[in-house]
Amino acid sequence: MSAPSLARPRSKDGGPVRQPRSRRRRGDDSTPASRVTVVGLCAVAAVYFLLPVYWLIVASTKSTAQLFGSSGLWLSRPQWFANMRHVFSYDHGIYLRWVVNSLVYAGAGAAVATLLSAMAGYALAKYHFRGREAVFNVVLGGVLIPGTALALPLYLLAAKVSLVNSYWAVLIPSVVSPFGVYLCRIYAEASVPDELIESARIDGAGEARIFRTVALRIMTPALVTVFLFQFVGIWNNYFLPLVMLSNPKLYPITLGLTSWQSFQDRQPELYQLVVGGAFVSVLPLMAAMVVLQRFWRTGLTQGSVKG
Amino acid sequence: MAAVHRRTTRAAWGFLTPFLVLFAATFLLPIGYAIYESLHKNSLSGPLGLGGSHTVFAGLSNYSRALGDAAFLASVRRVLLYAVVQVPVMILLAVALALLLDTVSARAVRFFRATYFMPYGVPGVIASILWGFLYTPGTSPVLALAGHAGLHPDLLGGGSVLWSIANIVTWEFAGYNMLVVTAQLQAIPGDLYEAARTDGASAWQIARRVKLPLLRPAIVLTTVFTIIGTLQLFAEPLILKPVSTGISNDYTPNLSAYNSAFANNDYYLASAKAVLLAVAAFVLSFGFLRLVGRRGGASR
């Protein structure tokens, strides 16, 4: 990717600086009319993005009959607690199991992926050795490979070593993040000063110790971004668990809900369960998006500006 | 000095090895295996094929089967048509939202930006389930409102469902792409705007002449990832299939590969399709990068 001729603001230690957001440098000279137009357009977009969420909140309070028999925009005989009880008790509480599975896949997968990416990115940024650029280019090529093209051969390979239909079948591919390595390399290059590493070496610290006590601490903002990316990526993934898992007890939420959805024609109560289950799984992550979105921006600035 | 260098080189490979081993196992090996499988086929031996089956080299016959399959070719054409519309719409919307938010007051920005970004946390299958309800007459308040106005659009029919899918994907990722653009926007030094304003540029001119050219890297990045995502289209059509009459078993190349493998147990053909998909993603995203790279070089 072509690097832009952008002067990026740097702090004294060479790390990136975040610009104050609230500075009103932008709309100073705009007329009231144009300001109203802009806010109006933003509001229209907000309605578009919120509509399905609003519908979901309203629908999660309804019975299957009311789902089809009343307006989707208003409450009608709300029975939210009964619905939630139903979601969590149906089929011996399998839904809760799916929630736990999703948390295990996404949580453990993202944590390991972050550590591996940090180590690899740091090595690629701060050490000079033969083959470094070749390794980096191969990893970068991995970013461009569609995940779904890999899932099928991964399944065939996993079948050969009897790993299909196990936690490992989903976990192992989830801990590899070429994009994470890319982000970590760029961040480490820009923010971990060579002098600091050198002086730690002179003080007699080993390479592993320098990584643990110096590099990891400085790289924390990038690590948070990599973790979040990978967490959401695994949480939202569907194709990989779909091909790997056949035992419903191992399903993540995505797979579980679609298994309910595929039976809802024969068993209409499942309509209400699908909606309730979607509600429970979507709201916490949406809230997390809102709270954590600035971490995405920090990491993305690194990724896109230097990209 | 040489000793130090040896020590650091060893450390570097030590840091790299865990990642590289797993990368090889989950990226390089599957790619190699898919290529291998795509070049083989099952052959039955003995009278009536009852002597058992074994794998034999098949040359490029799986590829010619895939490329000679009218339904597979139709799915490729469908996804390309979809990409030609979806990619520009997605990127234009993301850039427009980022530029709009760049002129709004700080407090409103926080609310709007969070709202636009929120769908990124919704898995594609759940987004498809939600929009599926909103596309179905009987559960959709939008269609009910349209009905009052005398409109009865069929959002799930053969002609329209592709664009209903495009809407789901746009809803999911426009806010995320907007955030990438916003990140770049905030890295632009404020004095550039001051200078432009002193020269008498309007807000619109600043957006067009100053911001847009500087957003190039972010736009390139989001475009590449949107292209790759577009070719992988799978979950959305699969989830909408039960409620739509317009979605076939090989509606997209990915669905086609999936069904070759799991409905027909033809892993060789499925591998050929997966390889074709990966090659197409590579060629298109590399091609795009080359294209903008050359043009960018000329303008500088």
PDB file of all heavy atoms in Angstrom, chain B residues 240-266:
ATOM      1  N   LEU B 240     -30.957 -16.175   5.046  1.00  0.00           N
ATOM      2  CA  LEU B 240     -32.187 -15.686   4.417  1.00  0.00           C
ATOM      3  C   LEU B 240     -32.858 -16.763   3.553  1.00  0.00           C
ATOM      4  O   LEU B 240     -34.014 -16.621   3.180  1.00  0.00           O
ATOM      5  CB  LEU B 240     -31.894 -14.457   3.545  1.00  0.00           C
ATOM      6  CG  LEU B 240     -31.589 -13.150   4.291  1.00  0.00           C
ATOM      7  CD1 LEU B 240     -31.421 -12.021   3.298  1.00  0.00           C
ATOM      8  CD2 LEU B 240     -32.708 -12.812   5.275  1.00  0.00           C
ATOM      9  N   LYS B 241     -32.127 -17.812   3.252  1.00  0.00           N
ATOM     10  CA  LYS B 241     -32.637 -18.830   2.330  1.00  0.00           C
ATOM     11  C   LYS B 241     -34.023 -19.366   2.720  1.00  0.00           C
ATOM     12  O   LYS B 241     -34.893 -19.477   1.856  1.00  0.00           O
ATOM     13  CB  LYS B 241     -31.622 -19.979   2.236  1.00  0.00           C
ATOM     14  CG  LYS B 241     -31.818 -20.878   1.057  1.00  0.00           C
ATOM     15  CD  LYS B 241     -30.571 -21.734   0.876  1.00  0.00           C
ATOM     16  CE  LYS B 241     -30.797 -22.814  -0.144  1.00  0.00           C
ATOM     17  NZ  LYS B 241     -31.651 -23.899   0.328  1.00  0.00           N
ATOM     18  N   PRO B 242     -34.264 -19.707   4.024  1.00  0.00           N
ATOM     19  CA  PRO B 242     -35.575 -20.259   4.364  1.00  0.00           C
ATOM     20  C   PRO B 242     -36.736 -19.297   4.099  1.00  0.00           C
ATOM     21  O   PRO B 242     -37.856 -19.750   3.864  1.00  0.00           O
ATOM     22  CB  PRO B 242     -35.472 -20.554   5.872  1.00  0.00           C
ATOM     23  CG  PRO B 242     -34.017 -20.589   6.167  1.00  0.00           C
ATOM     24  CD  PRO B 242     -33.355 -19.694   5.175  1.00  0.00           C
ATOM     25  N   VAL B 243     -36.479 -17.975   4.158  1.00  0.00           N
ATOM     26  CA  VAL B 243     -37.591 -17.046   3.966  1.00  0.00           C
ATOM     27  C   VAL B 243     -37.635 -16.474   2.559  1.00  0.00           C
ATOM     28  O   VAL B 243     -38.566 -15.747   2.204  1.00  0.00           O
ATOM     29  CB  VAL B 243     -37.552 -15.878   4.978  1.00  0.00           C
ATOM     30  CG1 VAL B 243     -37.868 -16.383   6.378  1.00  0.00           C
ATOM     31  CG2 VAL B 243     -36.220 -15.158   4.947  1.00  0.00           C
ATOM     32  N   SER B 244     -36.632 -16.779   1.748  1.00  0.00           N
ATOM     33  CA  SER B 244     -36.597 -16.199   0.410  1.00  0.00           C
ATOM     34  C   SER B 244     -36.772 -17.264  -0.656  1.00  0.00           C
ATOM     35  O   SER B 244     -36.263 -18.376  -0.533  1.00  0.00           O
ATOM     36  CB  SER B 244     -35.262 -15.481   0.189  1.00  0.00           C
ATOM     37  OG  SER B 244     -35.076 -15.211  -1.180  1.00  0.00           O
ATOM     38  N   THR B 245     -37.471 -16.901  -1.695  1.00  0.00           N
ATOM     39  CA  THR B 245     -37.617 -17.832  -2.813  1.00  0.00           C
ATOM     40  C   THR B 245     -36.482 -17.666  -3.812  1.00  0.00           C
ATOM     41  O   THR B 245     -36.309 -18.491  -4.704  1.00  0.00           O
ATOM     42  CB  THR B 245     -38.937 -17.572  -3.560  1.00  0.00           C
ATOM     43  OG1 THR B 245     -38.978 -16.167  -3.884  1.00  0.00           O
ATOM     44  CG2 THR B 245     -40.128 -17.941  -2.718  1.00  0.00           C
ATOM     45  N   GLY B 246     -35.692 -16.591  -3.647  1.00  0.00           N
ATOM     46  CA  GLY B 246     -34.718 -16.240  -4.677  1.00  0.00           C
ATOM     47  C   GLY B 246     -33.329 -16.810  -4.455  1.00  0.00           C
ATOM     48  O   GLY B 246     -32.416 -16.532  -5.235  1.00  0.00           O
ATOM     49  N   ILE B 247     -33.110 -17.577  -3.351  1.00  0.00           N
ATOM     50  CA  ILE B 247     -31.755 -18.007  -3.027  1.00  0.00           C
ATOM     51  C   ILE B 247     -31.605 -19.509  -3.257  1.00  0.00           C
ATOM     52  O   ILE B 247     -32.304 -20.312  -2.645  1.00  0.00           O
ATOM     53  CB  ILE B 247     -31.400 -17.644  -1.568  1.00  0.00           C
ATOM     54  CG1 ILE B 247     -31.430 -16.124  -1.406  1.00  0.00           C
ATOM     55  CG2 ILE B 247     -30.023 -18.186  -1.206  1.00  0.00           C
ATOM     56  CD1 ILE B 247     -31.193 -15.652  -0.001  1.00  0.00           C
ATOM     57  N   SER B 248     -30.693 -19.857  -4.131  1.00  0.00           N
ATOM     58  CA  SER B 248     -30.476 -21.261  -4.471  1.00  0.00           C
ATOM     59  C   SER B 248     -29.338 -21.833  -3.644  1.00  0.00           C
ATOM     60  O   SER B 248     -28.679 -21.120  -2.894  1.00  0.00           O
ATOM     61  CB  SER B 248     -30.135 -21.380  -5.952  1.00  0.00           C
ATOM     62  OG  SER B 248     -28.992 -20.590  -6.230  1.00  0.00           O
ATOM     63  N   ASN B 249     -29.090 -23.125  -3.797  1.00  0.00           N
ATOM     64  CA  ASN B 249     -28.018 -23.792  -3.059  1.00  0.00           C
ATOM     65  C   ASN B 249     -26.640 -23.294  -3.444  1.00  0.00           C
ATOM     66  O   ASN B 249     -25.689 -23.436  -2.675  1.00  0.00           O
ATOM     67  CB  ASN B 249     -28.070 -25.291  -3.306  1.00  0.00           C
ATOM     68  CG  ASN B 249     -28.813 -26.002  -2.211  1.00  0.00           C
ATOM     69  OD1 ASN B 249     -28.891 -25.490  -1.099  1.00  0.00           O
ATOM     70  ND2 ASN B 249     -29.373 -27.152  -2.511  1.00  0.00           N
ATOM     71  N   ASP B 250     -26.496 -22.794  -4.663  1.00  0.00           N
ATOM     72  CA  ASP B 250     -25.200 -22.222  -5.034  1.00  0.00           C
ATOM     73  C   ASP B 250     -25.370 -20.762  -5.423  1.00  0.00           C
ATOM     74  O   ASP B 250     -24.991 -20.345  -6.518  1.00  0.00           O
ATOM     75  CB  ASP B 250     -24.499 -23.024  -6.136  1.00  0.00           C
ATOM     76  CG  ASP B 250     -25.479 -23.802  -6.981  1.00  0.00           C
ATOM     77  OD1 ASP B 250     -26.616 -23.318  -7.135  1.00  0.00           O
ATOM     78  OD2 ASP B 250     -25.100 -24.880  -7.477  1.00  0.00           O
ATOM     79  N   TYR B 251     -25.940 -20.022  -4.504  1.00  0.00           N
ATOM     80  CA  TYR B 251     -26.219 -18.609  -4.758  1.00  0.00           C
ATOM     81  C   TYR B 251     -24.933 -17.800  -4.836  1.00  0.00           C
ATOM     82  O   TYR B 251     -24.821 -16.879  -5.622  1.00  0.00           O
ATOM     83  CB  TYR B 251     -27.116 -18.077  -3.642  1.00  0.00           C
ATOM     84  CG  TYR B 251     -27.735 -16.732  -3.947  1.00  0.00           C
ATOM     85  CD1 TYR B 251     -28.735 -16.627  -4.907  1.00  0.00           C
ATOM     86  CD2 TYR B 251     -27.332 -15.587  -3.274  1.00  0.00           C
ATOM     87  CE1 TYR B 251     -29.314 -15.412  -5.188  1.00  0.00           C
ATOM     88  CE2 TYR B 251     -27.911 -14.368  -3.554  1.00  0.00           C
ATOM     89  CZ  TYR B 251     -28.902 -14.278  -4.512  1.00  0.00           C
ATOM     90  OH  TYR B 251     -29.464 -13.070  -4.795  1.00  0.00           O
ATOM     91  N   THR B 252     -23.952 -18.124  -3.968  1.00  0.00           N
ATOM     92  CA  THR B 252     -22.643 -17.458  -4.027  1.00  0.00           C
ATOM     93  C   THR B 252     -21.573 -18.541  -4.173  1.00  0.00           C
ATOM     94  O   THR B 252     -21.815 -19.708  -3.851  1.00  0.00           O
ATOM     95  CB  THR B 252     -22.356 -16.646  -2.747  1.00  0.00           C
ATOM     96  OG1 THR B 252     -22.146 -17.565  -1.667  1.00  0.00           O
ATOM     97  CG2 THR B 252     -23.496 -15.725  -2.394  1.00  0.00           C
ATOM     98  N   PRO B 253     -20.360 -18.182  -4.640  1.00  0.00           N
ATOM     99  CA  PRO B 253     -19.304 -19.190  -4.809  1.00  0.00           C
ATOM    100  C   PRO B 253     -19.026 -19.952  -3.507  1.00  0.00           C
ATOM    101  O   PRO B 253     -18.795 -21.159  -3.522  1.00  0.00           O
ATOM    102  CB  PRO B 253     -18.090 -18.353  -5.220  1.00  0.00           C
ATOM    103  CG  PRO B 253     -18.666 -17.132  -5.839  1.00  0.00           C
ATOM    104  CD  PRO B 253     -19.949 -16.855  -5.122  1.00  0.00           C
ATOM    105  N   ASN B 254     -19.077 -19.228  -2.384  1.00  0.00           N
ATOM    106  CA  ASN B 254     -18.819 -19.855  -1.100  1.00  0.00           C
ATOM    107  C   ASN B 254     -19.888 -20.887  -0.733  1.00  0.00           C
ATOM    108  O   ASN B 254     -19.590 -21.965  -0.236  1.00  0.00           O
ATOM    109  CB  ASN B 254     -18.773 -18.771  -0.026  1.00  0.00           C
ATOM    110  CG  ASN B 254     -17.517 -18.861   0.792  1.00  0.00           C
ATOM    111  OD1 ASN B 254     -16.915 -19.918   0.867  1.00  0.00           O
ATOM    112  ND2 ASN B 254     -17.128 -17.766   1.393  1.00  0.00           N
ATOM    113  N   LEU B 255     -21.152 -20.532  -0.965  1.00  0.00           N
ATOM    114  CA  LEU B 255     -22.246 -21.473  -0.722  1.00  0.00           C
ATOM    115  C   LEU B 255     -22.095 -22.684  -1.618  1.00  0.00           C
ATOM    116  O   LEU B 255     -22.328 -23.818  -1.207  1.00  0.00           O
ATOM    117  CB  LEU B 255     -23.586 -20.794  -1.009  1.00  0.00           C
ATOM    118  CG  LEU B 255     -24.336 -20.179   0.152  1.00  0.00           C
ATOM    119  CD1 LEU B 255     -25.554 -19.432  -0.353  1.00  0.00           C
ATOM    120  CD2 LEU B 255     -24.766 -21.254   1.133  1.00  0.00           C
ATOM    121  N   SER B 256     -21.685 -22.424  -2.851  1.00  0.00           N
ATOM    122  CA  SER B 256     -21.504 -23.496  -3.821  1.00  0.00           C
ATOM    123  C   SER B 256     -20.418 -24.463  -3.349  1.00  0.00           C
ATOM    124  O   SER B 256     -20.601 -25.685  -3.388  1.00  0.00           O
ATOM    125  CB  SER B 256     -21.152 -22.875  -5.168  1.00  0.00           C
ATOM    126  OG  SER B 256     -20.833 -23.852  -6.096  1.00  0.00           O
ATOM    127  N   ALA B 257     -19.284 -23.914  -2.877  1.00  0.00           N
ATOM    128  CA  ALA B 257     -18.197 -24.764  -2.371  1.00  0.00           C
ATOM    129  C   ALA B 257     -18.665 -25.543  -1.153  1.00  0.00           C
ATOM    130  O   ALA B 257     -18.402 -26.747  -1.013  1.00  0.00           O
ATOM    131  CB  ALA B 257     -16.983 -23.912  -2.022  1.00  0.00           C
ATOM    132  N   TYR B 258     -19.389 -24.865  -0.265  1.00  0.00           N
ATOM    133  CA  TYR B 258     -19.883 -25.495   0.953  1.00  0.00           C
ATOM    134  C   TYR B 258     -20.796 -26.675   0.611  1.00  0.00           C
ATOM    135  O   TYR B 258     -20.684 -27.751   1.202  1.00  0.00           O
ATOM    136  CB  TYR B 258     -20.631 -24.450   1.788  1.00  0.00           C
ATOM    137  CG  TYR B 258     -21.292 -25.002   3.022  1.00  0.00           C
ATOM    138  CD1 TYR B 258     -20.547 -25.304   4.156  1.00  0.00           C
ATOM    139  CD2 TYR B 258     -22.669 -25.210   3.054  1.00  0.00           C
ATOM    140  CE1 TYR B 258     -21.153 -25.810   5.293  1.00  0.00           C
ATOM    141  CE2 TYR B 258     -23.285 -25.720   4.184  1.00  0.00           C
ATOM    142  CZ  TYR B 258     -22.524 -26.015   5.299  1.00  0.00           C
ATOM    143  OH  TYR B 258     -23.129 -26.513   6.420  1.00  0.00           O
ATOM    144  N   ASN B 259     -21.681 -26.485  -0.358  1.00  0.00           N
ATOM    145  CA  ASN B 259     -22.604 -27.557  -0.708  1.00  0.00           C
ATOM    146  C   ASN B 259     -21.918 -28.688  -1.452  1.00  0.00           C
ATOM    147  O   ASN B 259     -22.296 -29.848  -1.295  1.00  0.00           O
ATOM    148  CB  ASN B 259     -23.778 -26.998  -1.515  1.00  0.00           C
ATOM    149  CG  ASN B 259     -24.828 -26.402  -0.594  1.00  0.00           C
ATOM    150  OD1 ASN B 259     -25.254 -27.046   0.364  1.00  0.00           O
ATOM    151  ND2 ASN B 259     -25.201 -25.161  -0.839  1.00  0.00           N
ATOM    152  N   SER B 260     -20.897 -28.351  -2.272  1.00  0.00           N
ATOM    153  CA  SER B 260     -20.126 -29.424  -2.914  1.00  0.00           C
ATOM    154  C   SER B 260     -19.525 -30.327  -1.854  1.00  0.00           C
ATOM    155  O   SER B 260     -19.514 -31.551  -1.989  1.00  0.00           O
ATOM    156  CB  SER B 260     -18.995 -28.846  -3.765  1.00  0.00           C
ATOM    157  OG  SER B 260     -19.515 -28.140  -4.839  1.00  0.00           O
ATOM    158  N   ALA B 261     -19.023 -29.707  -0.776  1.00  0.00           N
ATOM    159  CA  ALA B 261     -18.338 -30.481   0.250  1.00  0.00           C
ATOM    160  C   ALA B 261     -19.316 -31.248   1.125  1.00  0.00           C
ATOM    161  O   ALA B 261     -19.157 -32.453   1.337  1.00  0.00           O
ATOM    162  CB  ALA B 261     -17.468 -29.567   1.108  1.00  0.00           C
ATOM    163  N   PHE B 262     -20.343 -30.566   1.633  1.00  0.00           N
ATOM    164  CA  PHE B 262     -21.134 -31.175   2.692  1.00  0.00           C
ATOM    165  C   PHE B 262     -22.460 -31.765   2.230  1.00  0.00           C
ATOM    166  O   PHE B 262     -23.013 -32.628   2.902  1.00  0.00           O
ATOM    167  CB  PHE B 262     -21.342 -30.178   3.828  1.00  0.00           C
ATOM    168  CG  PHE B 262     -20.058 -29.835   4.517  1.00  0.00           C
ATOM    169  CD1 PHE B 262     -19.387 -28.658   4.233  1.00  0.00           C
ATOM    170  CD2 PHE B 262     -19.487 -30.725   5.413  1.00  0.00           C
ATOM    171  CE1 PHE B 262     -18.178 -28.358   4.846  1.00  0.00           C
ATOM    172  CE2 PHE B 262     -18.282 -30.440   6.022  1.00  0.00           C
ATOM    173  CZ  PHE B 262     -17.626 -29.257   5.744  1.00  0.00           C
ATOM    174  N   ALA B 263     -22.965 -31.312   1.083  1.00  0.00           N
ATOM    175  CA  ALA B 263     -24.183 -31.936   0.571  1.00  0.00           C
ATOM    176  C   ALA B 263     -23.829 -33.061  -0.390  1.00  0.00           C
ATOM    177  O   ALA B 263     -24.462 -34.109  -0.405  1.00  0.00           O
ATOM    178  CB  ALA B 263     -25.070 -30.898  -0.111  1.00  0.00           C
ATOM    179  N   ASN B 264     -22.773 -32.863  -1.200  1.00  0.00           N
ATOM    180  CA  ASN B 264     -22.423 -33.873  -2.211  1.00  0.00           C
ATOM    181  C   ASN B 264     -21.173 -34.672  -1.868  1.00  0.00           C
ATOM    182  O   ASN B 264     -20.759 -35.523  -2.642  1.00  0.00           O
ATOM    183  CB  ASN B 264     -22.215 -33.200  -3.571  1.00  0.00           C
ATOM    184  CG  ASN B 264     -23.422 -32.388  -3.981  1.00  0.00           C
ATOM    185  OD1 ASN B 264     -24.539 -32.685  -3.566  1.00  0.00           O
ATOM    186  ND2 ASN B 264     -23.198 -31.349  -4.756  1.00  0.00           N
ATOM    187  N   ASN B 265     -20.543 -34.347  -0.741  1.00  0.00           N
ATOM    188  CA  ASN B 265     -19.308 -35.037  -0.326  1.00  0.00           C
ATOM    189  C   ASN B 265     -18.225 -35.034  -1.401  1.00  0.00           C
ATOM    190  O   ASN B 265     -17.414 -35.942  -1.473  1.00  0.00           O
ATOM    191  CB  ASN B 265     -19.603 -36.484   0.071  1.00  0.00           C
ATOM    192  CG  ASN B 265     -20.262 -36.535   1.426  1.00  0.00           C
ATOM    193  OD1 ASN B 265     -19.880 -35.765   2.326  1.00  0.00           O
ATOM    194  ND2 ASN B 265     -21.246 -37.381   1.579  1.00  0.00           N
ATOM    195  N   ASP B 266     -18.221 -34.010  -2.245  1.00  0.00           N
ATOM    196  CA  ASP B 266     -17.210 -33.920  -3.293  1.00  0.00           C
ATOM    197  C   ASP B 266     -16.146 -32.910  -2.841  1.00  0.00           C
ATOM    198  O   ASP B 266     -16.159 -31.748  -3.236  1.00  0.00           O
ATOM    199  CB  ASP B 266     -17.860 -33.471  -4.601  1.00  0.00           C
ATOM    200  CG  ASP B 266     -16.921 -33.655  -5.778  1.00  0.00           C
ATOM    201  OD1 ASP B 266     -15.700 -33.792  -5.550  1.00  0.00           O
ATOM    202  OD2 ASP B 266     -17.405 -33.663  -6.918  1.00  0.00           O
TER     203      ASP B 266
END
